[in-house]
Amino acid sequence: MGRPHIGGITVVALAAPLFMAYLVLGANAGTVRGLSTHYVLIICGSGGHTAEMIQMVERSICPEKSSHRRWAVGKDDKKSYDKILAFESRLLDRFSRHSMDSGTFDIVQFGRARYVHQSWSTTPFTAILSLLGILQILTTPPDQGPVPRPRYPGVIVTNGPGTGFLFLLVARALRLLYVVPRSRMRTIYVESWARVKSLSLTGKLIRRLRLADTFLVQSRYLKGLDNILAENLLVMPQQPKVPFENEDPKQSDISAKA
């Protein structure tokens, strides 16, 4: 089977029922305030999307014993799966050197809505299976460890893969239908640093339908009334909360406060 992607017709077919509920119940998205970051769902796409997401998490993560990261990747995306495992191993070593807790993680996999060269006659079936898989990921709680965790993610983060649009759409529908509390599944969209003068198609759809509670861009050209400029994610990364291997912890603290 070829490289997966989500076609425009597939997105419309998947989105129609949820979009109707979305229109009826309202489209106002608030800002993300007072979020519970103990359980974060991170939506990864293939290639650069996963690399960017890992880099953002690597530089922004804070030590928090009860935190849990759930990474969502495509079932056929072994490269992203391996990258995440390598990152989590590196993260554990990095935190352990400073006697800090990096929290826990799990990796869940979802099926694509449509694959390259797949017949359109079979696409509705794979699309339905994809939606059901997304719903299961959003509503299945992590394994409970010593510290109890919420059933639903407090924050959902995506940075541009087409499947990220479907995750945010389903999450918004679950909140609007009061299936999950309004305080859970708050959504953050981070536009790729490669998008300098225009938004990606995923970004345009999410922006148009106001599916993201917080919409971040990394280029001054894209800064707008509701687009929050965040140059310190990849373009100008901030000093990490936990030093890397070649950094002095004391020097890191001084730099972070500067």
Side-chain angles (χ1 to χ4, degrees):
M1 193 168 286
R3 183 179 178 183
H5 78 285
I6 295 179
I9 296 178
T10 305
V11 169
V12 173
L14 287 172
L18 295 174
F19 186 52
M20 290 303 294
Y22 175 79
L23 290 177
V24 171
L25 294 173
N28 291 326
T31 57
V32 178
R33 295 191 178 95
L35 292 177
S36 171
T37 57
H38 294 290
Y39 173 18
V40 179
L41 174 60
I42 305 166
I43 315 302
C44 295
S46 57
H49 289 298
T50 297
E52 282 189 30
M53 191 63 76
I54 287 175
Q55 190 172 350
M56 284 187 282
V57 174
E58 190 168 35
R59 299 202 68 91
S60 62
I61 188 171
C62 299
E64 193 171 6
K65 187 175 182 179
S66 61
S67 66
H68 181 79
R69 294 173 298 283
R70 168 165 288 180
W71 300 83
V73 300
K75 289 182 178 179
D76 56 346
D77 192 359
K78 188 178 184 302
K79 287 186 178 180
S80 291
Y81 191 96
D82 292 341
K83 284 181 181 179
I84 294 168
L85 282 180
F87 164 69
E88 287 290 351
S89 177
R90 186 170 69 246
L91 190 69
L92 178 61
D93 291 341
R94 173 181 156 200
F95 274 62
S96 297
R97 284 195 304 271
H98 303 286
S99 301
M100 296 178 179
D101 196 319
S102 62
T104 58
F105 78 97
D106 66 348
I107 303 176
V108 294
Q109 296 176 297
F110 55 85
R112 306 287 183 174
R114 184 177 182 271
Y115 296 86
V116 174
H117 305 308
Q118 179 182 347
S119 169
W120 284 107
S121 63
T122 61
T123 296
F125 299 101
T126 54
I128 292 173
L129 291 175
S130 178
L131 265 184
L132 292 175
I134 290 173
L135 185 63
Q136 183 178 23
I137 290 172
L138 289 172
T139 57
T140 301
D143 292 336
Q144 296 299 316
V147 180
R149 299 188 185 92
R151 175 176 180 180
Y152 306 113
V155 181
I156 302 171
V157 186
T158 185
N159 68 335
T163 309
F165 168 78
L166 297 179
F167 268 92
L168 266 57
L169 185 67
V170 175
R172 176 52 60 88
L174 291 174
R175 286 170 53 195
L176 291 175
L177 295 171
Y178 297 99
V179 175
V180 301
R182 285 289 188 106
S183 61
R184 311 302 301 178
M185 294 191 186
R186 306 295 284 178
T187 54
I188 299 176
Y189 177 78
V190 184
E191 185 59 277
S192 171
W193 67 271
R195 307 301 302 195
V196 178
K197 294 186 177 181
S198 63
L199 298 176
S200 62
L201 175 60
T202 302
K204 290 176 180 177
L205 287 172
I206 291 174
R207 186 73 188 82
R208 178 69 175 174
L209 300 180
R210 301 183 64 84
L211 295 178
D213 294 296
T214 297
F215 195 104
L216 301 178
V217 295
Q218 301 185 69
S219 169
R220 294 182 182 274
Y221 294 102
L222 298 178
K223 182 181 179 182
L225 181 62
D226 297 316
N227 296 351
I228 301 174
L229 179 64
E231 291 180 308
N232 63 340
L233 292 177
L234 287 177
V235 179
M236 298 174 61
Q238 64 180 356
Q239 189 70 26
K241 300 287 192 287
V242 179
F244 292 108
E245 185 176 2
N246 59 346
E247 292 178 327
D248 180 1
K250 294 182 180 179
Q251 182 64 37
S252 178
D253 290 339
I254 294 173
S255 300
K257 294 177 181 178

